[in-house]
Amino acid sequence: MSAGSFALTRAAQVLTLHDPEGPRTAARRGAAMAELGILRDASVVVDAAGEIEWIGPHTELTALMDRGELSVERVHDCAGEVIMPALVDPHTHLVWAGDRRDELELRLGGADYEAIFAAGGGILSSVRQTRAASDEQLYAQSLRRIERMRACGATTFEIKSGYGLELEAELRQLRVARRLRDEAGVRVKTTCLAAHAFPETARRGPQARRRFVDEICEQILPAVASEGLADYADVFCDRGAFTKDEAARVLDTAHALGMGLRVHANEFGHTGGAELAAEFRAASADHLLHMNADERSALAEAGVVATLLPGTSLVLGKPFADGRALIDAGVAVAIASDCNPGSCALENLAMILGLACYGCKLAPAEAVVAATHNAAASLGLAAEVGRLEVGMSADLLVLATDDYRDLVYHAGSPLVREVYSRGHRIS
Ligand SMILES: [Zn+2]
């Protein structure tokens, strides 16, 4: 069904993020990381195909319409409001079954996340619940999450597997993610994260461990590639997870199979994840709580987007990634929810945008770039979403405020009034 053409008019601010296609850094062009291309008293016209047809000062639109040079089926007055690109969430694990509410209470009572994981809880608890769920249960639970997340302003999602840790369960998770792409009215990029953790069977010694890495490289990744189920592969390279050598093998294999690369890196310590992301020129290195100057410059030189997950730092009581230092080192920064059943089940990316300022020391404008354009660039979608330009998809938000900085000032408040995906209002 066509959305029909419409105009959103007279917005106090339209954040266009006009300009480059690649991820923005502070170094590339002045302070590009903070340039929002704001138009005031401006309007946006969306065509019947769901693309942006026109954007500019409202007086110009009025003149065009008066001369009969542009017409729309509907006009929606946005006086006193903000129009901005819809949010892009480039790191989620949102396909899982069950919950870990009990573990939340343990952690709040003082138990440590890594200790719970080492004792067979944490990720392995979600693996058991996800393997036991039917396809329909997995889909229905994930759909409810994505519905809440898009109501908070995100219309594009990266979704990782990683709660299967065996061939069939990994494939099932990725098929559910593809079904969400096809049926949930949002854009989805999928990532195979079979290298998320070592399952119980792989914890019986070095040989069992080695066999699991073999299984990922010789069975799981090739099967995922032959079914075309993943745009990216990811590996958790950190203390208690995959070593640098193991992670390199996974990334090598995935690259040879034609997948893009992402890396969970430097969340718990310096075990080589960020260096590896730079060596492989991965699309993204994520978490990055423990970083030194060499690691930052390696990411900058390799053009790897640094994806920060401040919600996870908040929930786990860990330090926040130093976003300021990354930006000052010339790294393109993105932010994401990390929505997952254990370390961060927060679903409101607009609130996490605020946390990126309070915790990671981004300026509000930098956080907007990080949650829109840079996130889209890390997913290869910079020409489709994350900015408002003629010809791009009309994935946009109307905020119930006249100043975008309220996203940070009033972080977590329900400021996202309307959400459009491909020109369709979805919330
Ligand atoms: Zn993650």
Side-chain angles (χ1 to χ4, degrees), residues 91-93 160 193 196 234 236 264 267 286-287 309 338 340 343:
H91 182 139
T92 85
H93 304 250
K160 302 176 195 296
L193 179 58
H196 193 190
D234 192 343
F236 201 143
H264 279 68
E267 180 180 8
D286 304 43
H287 284 291
L309 312 168
D338 194 20
N340 75 75
S343 64

Side-chain angles (χ1 to χ4, degrees), residues 108 309-320 343-344 346 351 355:
L108 292 174
L309 312 168
T312 312
S313 292
L314 180 76
V315 172
L316 292 185
K318 302 275 182 193
F320 287 92
S343 64
C344 181
L346 303 182
M351 184 191 75
L355 288 182

Side-chain angles (χ1 to χ4, degrees), residues 299-374:
L299 293 183
E301 277 167 33
V304 179
V305 175
T307 300
L308 309 185
L309 312 168
T312 312
S313 292
L314 180 76
V315 172
L316 292 185
K318 302 275 182 193
F320 287 92
D322 190 343
R324 184 81 263 130
L326 284 160
I327 289 172
D328 292 346
V331 182
V333 169
I335 54 182
S337 69
D338 194 20
C339 183
N340 75 75
S343 64
C344 181
L346 303 182
E347 297 169 330
N348 184 343
L349 184 56
M351 184 191 75
I352 285 165
L353 186 160
L355 288 182
C357 298
Y358 295 119
C360 305
K361 306 303 176 195
L362 270 59
E366 292 168 337
V368 168
V369 170
T372 57
H373 173 69
N374 277 8

Side-chain angles (χ1 to χ4, degrees), residues 198-229:
F198 286 91
E200 269 149 306
T201 49
R203 293 172 180 229
R204 295 174 189 148
Q207 280 191 332
R209 192 177 166 101
R210 161 106 198 165
R211 272 199 302 276
F212 182 58
V213 180
D214 290 346
E215 186 182 335
I216 292 170
C217 295
E218 292 164 17
Q219 295 175 37
I220 299 178
L221 287 172
V224 166
S226 77
E227 255 195 72
L229 286 175

